Amino acid sequence: MESKASSLDKEEINSRFVYHSVKRGFDLIAATFGIIILSPLMIIIAMMIKLEDHGPIFYKPEMSI
């Protein structure tokens, strides 16, 4: 027979697992939607940089040896 403390510990562990699983799922979904929604804006900004500066969109420093 289990003691009350060990059954509470199992319930707490299960509830924490569920909480963290749901939070992880929400974080992934929110990040995916954020990237999808903001990607047109990022593309427009990249095109504006390319048109105005005529250089690379991403800064690439020269490597010195």
Side-chain angles (χ1 to χ4, degrees):
M1 193 160 185
E2 292 184 48
S3 69
K4 229 179 190 180
S6 73
S7 67
L8 289 177
D9 290 339
K10 288 179 183 178
E11 288 176 15
E12 186 177 338
I13 289 169
N14 286 339
S15 68
R16 284 184 183 184
F17 176 75
V18 170
Y19 170 77
H20 288 294
S21 298
V22 170
K23 184 179 183 312
R24 173 74 173 158
F26 175 78
D27 289 345
L28 289 173
I29 291 169
T32 301
F33 279 124
I35 289 173
I36 290 170
I37 290 170
L38 292 176
S39 62
L41 179 63
M42 291 187 273
I43 291 171
I44 290 170
I45 292 172
M47 288 177 11
M48 290 171 61
I49 291 171
K50 187 68 175 172
L51 290 173
E52 180 157 332
D53 202 22
H54 301 294
I57 295 170
F58 297 108
Y59 175 71
K60 186 176 177 184
E62 293 181 19
M63 299 295 225
S64 61
I65 298 176

